[in-house]
Amino acid sequence: MARRPLVVGNWKMNCTRASARRLLDDILAGLPADAKAEVGVCPAFVFIPEASAALAGKSVLLGAQNVGDQDQGAFTGEISAPMLDEFGCKLAIVGHSERRLVYGESSQLVAARYAKAIAHGITPILCVGETLEEREQEKTFAVIDEQLQAVLDLCGVASLAKAVIAYEPVWAIGSGRTATTEQAQEVHAYIRGQIAKLDPEIATGLQILYGGSVKADNARALFGMPDVDGGLVGGAALDAQSFLSICLAA
Ligand code: PEP
């Protein structure tokens, strides 16, 4: 069965209330009803209530940029999966490299966040990827193995039927330096192959997105690779026209 492409905008800590609303309205106005790709947006948490209202009854999926590893309680600064569920969030990014590297989130914490998303019917977008130094030391596959294994240990391979993986080489994020189509395909095929060893059917159905300086002019080539099922888009997702071009390339 063919995998449906998915394109998700990660707005990070950007936008004002007004500009987030404008961006969303422009995406909704410009997205054709028969777009082949599924499309999602992940605004900052504070914009989620308004985005939730704007997206009611629309095909664009609402996502969060992270999700708590607990359901409720004394966890200052965290937002839980039940809270996101209440606002109709269907997606939650977990393990973004900015969370792992800037805020020190371990693969075990990322796995606990992933588990909570799954438990509450939210699709986690599990980000994996190596730094430039790790790539140069030929550790790319080992890094990805470790990041995947934490999730497999906690939730099992069956959980991947309800998840999405995003391969995001850290050296390509926000740098303007995109992985070549061959580099992306190589790692995507590796990830799918690792999962296939455990469950071939889940591996075949798994959407694996590429992230890292995806732009309107490189999206088609990247999404044309056999194991690249769409993209997680940062900078280019902040401009409705470039985001829409990327969505239409999928
Ligand atoms: C990201 O942060 O997930 C990302 C892919 O960013 P950018 O597209 O800006 O490289």
Side-chain angles (χ1 to χ4, degrees), residues 3 5 12 45 66 104 111 117 131 148 169 214 236:
R3 293 179 295 273
K12 308 195 186 189
F45 286 121
N66 207 349
T131 62
L148 281 179
V214 175

Side-chain angles (χ1 to χ4, degrees), residues 61-78:
L61 303 170
L62 180 59
Q65 297 173 21
N66 207 349
V67 57
D69 64 322
Q70 306 288 331
D71 283 343
Q72 64 168 58
F75 303 101
T76 302
E78 292 286 309

Side-chain angles (χ1 to χ4, degrees), residues 10 12 96 98 168 172-174 211-214 232-235:
N10 173 12
K12 308 195 186 189
H96 191 280
E98 287 150 18
E168 298 210 306
I173 294 180
S213 297
V214 175
L232 182 56
V233 185

Side-chain angles (χ1 to χ4, degrees), residues 133-152:
E133 194 183 4
E134 288 162 344
R135 174 163 280 263
E136 286 171 350
Q137 293 171 354
E138 300 186 357
K139 290 183 182 160
T140 298
F141 295 150
V143 168
I144 285 167
D145 284 344
E146 187 274 332
Q147 292 170 338
L148 281 179
Q149 196 58 49
V151 160
L152 292 169

Side-chain angles (χ1 to χ4, degrees), residues 29-214:
L31 192 68
D34 60 353
K36 193 170 150 227
E38 270 183 296
V39 172
V41 292
C42 300
F45 286 121
V46 289
F47 302 137
I48 282 180
E50 202 161 328
S52 173
L55 290 176
K58 310 281 186 192
S59 62
V60 174
L61 303 170
L62 180 59
Q65 297 173 21
N66 207 349
V67 57
D69 64 322
Q70 306 288 331
D71 283 343
Q72 64 168 58
F75 303 101
T76 302
E78 292 286 309
I79 307 283
S80 73
M83 293 170 179
L84 295 174
D85 182 42
E86 206 178 332
F87 286 91
C89 281
K90 302 293 180 213
L91 306 168
I93 298 170
V94 297
H96 191 280
S97 62
E98 287 150 18
R99 299 303 319 174
R100 292 181 191 265
L101 298 174
V102 183
Y103 294 96
E105 293 194 11
S106 67
S107 292
Q108 287 64 39
L109 174 56
V110 171
R113 296 186 184 285
Y114 170 104
K116 283 298 182 188
I118 298 263
H120 293 280
I122 294 171
T123 302
I125 302 175
L126 173 68
C127 298
V128 297
E130 80 289 359
T131 62
L132 184 58
E133 194 183 4
E134 288 162 344
R135 174 163 280 263
E136 286 171 350
Q137 293 171 354
E138 300 186 357
K139 290 183 182 160
T140 298
F141 295 150
V143 168
I144 285 167
D145 284 344
E146 187 274 332
Q147 292 170 338
L148 281 179
Q149 196 58 49
V151 160
L152 292 169
D153 287 345
L154 189 64
C155 301
V157 68
S159 70
L160 287 170
K162 295 179 185 158
V164 170
I165 291 181
Y167 169 55
E168 298 210 306
V170 179
W171 46 273
I173 294 180
S175 65
R177 182 177 166 190
T178 316
T180 64
T181 50
E182 291 76 19
Q183 284 171 325
Q185 170 58 25
E186 181 188 32
V187 179
H188 283 231
Y190 176 79
I191 293 169
R192 200 178 306 285
Q194 292 297 91
I195 306 301
K197 287 183 198 163
L198 303 172
D199 191 318
E201 199 177 325
I202 285 178
T204 301
L206 180 65
Q207 290 167 310
I208 307 178
L209 313 184
Y210 169 79
S213 297
V214 175

